[in-house]
Amino acid sequence: MANSSAASQRIACALRERIEGGGLPPGTRLSEEALGRELGVSRNTLREAFRLLVHDGLVVHLLNRGVFVRVLEPADVTDIYRMRAALQSAGVRAAATAPAALREAVAAAVTDAEDAARAGDWSRVATADLRFHRALAALAGSARIDAAMDRLLAELRLAFHAMPSPRHFHAPFVARNRTLATLLERGEHTAAEAELTAYLADACRLILDALRTREDDR
């Protein structure tokens, strides 16, 4: 039983990486037969992996149709950003007393995004950006907040697929990440929280606009 559970978690992790990396875009049907053959696992192991991904909000099981990579609706995106604002604001408010290692993780993610932007690696920018936001929430020092952020950011990867240009979406926020990090370093926590609120509202609006444009083009 333990080996079966470990295999399911391993397969779920592999599929999660494909989904988040764009190899399995939203709306893709996950064939038990094809994936089982490709990954060399039983249907029972694959079904348990699918169950884990359903719990993560990355796939949906549609009765009599199968399992599909989830397509986020505008209401989903709005809710994700509402939760992000609550969790990340808790981190910002706790920044003054957070351990040095947690504060350093925020700064490191900003630097990584800047380096990736200069190199034109926008996939890496996106990854560094999500790591930055997770690091902000982690300042709260709560394992439950960390787990909630991991799930939210995994779901958010699905929304990024709607953006027509990763560079156009991420480029403005590289500088805003630096602004946020600088405010925290200076101890200007009220200003940092206000900037975070505006930042998340702007990002949410851009994604919602892209989703609506996608719907109009169908």
Side-chain angles (χ1 to χ4, degrees), residues 120-134:
D121 187 346
W122 295 99
S123 175
R124 183 179 150 205
V125 170
T127 298
D129 179 68
L130 294 183
R131 196 167 74 250
F132 167 73
H133 289 285
R134 190 192 185 285

Side-chain angles (χ1 to χ4, degrees), residues 151-167:
R151 178 174 175 177
L152 287 174
L153 296 180
E155 286 187 79
L156 195 59
R157 285 277 197 180
L158 298 175
F160 287 169
H161 292 292
M163 304 308 296
S165 167
R167 177 175 183 173

Side-chain angles (χ1 to χ4, degrees), residues 69-92:
V69 178
R70 187 174 169 205
V71 177
L72 293 185
E73 300 296 332
D76 296 317
V77 173
T78 299
D79 197 37
I80 287 170
Y81 272 89
R82 184 180 296 119
M83 277 291 293
R84 284 186 63 188
L87 299 178
Q88 291 181 236
S89 291
V92 167

Side-chain angles (χ1 to χ4, degrees), residues 88-207:
Q88 291 181 236
S89 291
V92 167
R93 289 193 293 272
T97 57
L102 295 181
R103 297 197 303 272
E104 288 165 5
V106 172
V110 173
T111 299
D112 190 22
E114 291 170 338
D115 290 345
R118 281 191 290 269
D121 187 346
W122 295 99
S123 175
R124 183 179 150 205
V125 170
T127 298
D129 179 68
L130 294 183
R131 196 167 74 250
F132 167 73
H133 289 285
R134 190 192 185 285
L136 282 181
L139 293 171
S142 165
R144 289 177 175 82
I145 286 179
D146 291 346
M149 277 297 293
D150 285 342
R151 178 174 175 177
L152 287 174
L153 296 180
E155 286 187 79
L156 195 59
R157 285 277 197 180
L158 298 175
F160 287 169
H161 292 292
M163 304 308 296
S165 167
R167 177 175 183 173
H168 176 75
F169 176 63
H170 289 292
F173 293 104
V174 173
R176 294 182 73 170
N177 287 353
R178 174 58 69 186
T179 297
L180 261 170
T182 299
L183 288 171
L184 290 177
E185 289 169 2
R186 292 174 177 170
E188 299 177 27
H189 301 107
T190 300
E193 188 171 357
E195 170 60 22
L196 175 66
T197 299
Y199 177 121
L200 293 177
D202 290 343
C204 183
R205 177 181 52 77
L206 287 173
I207 294 176

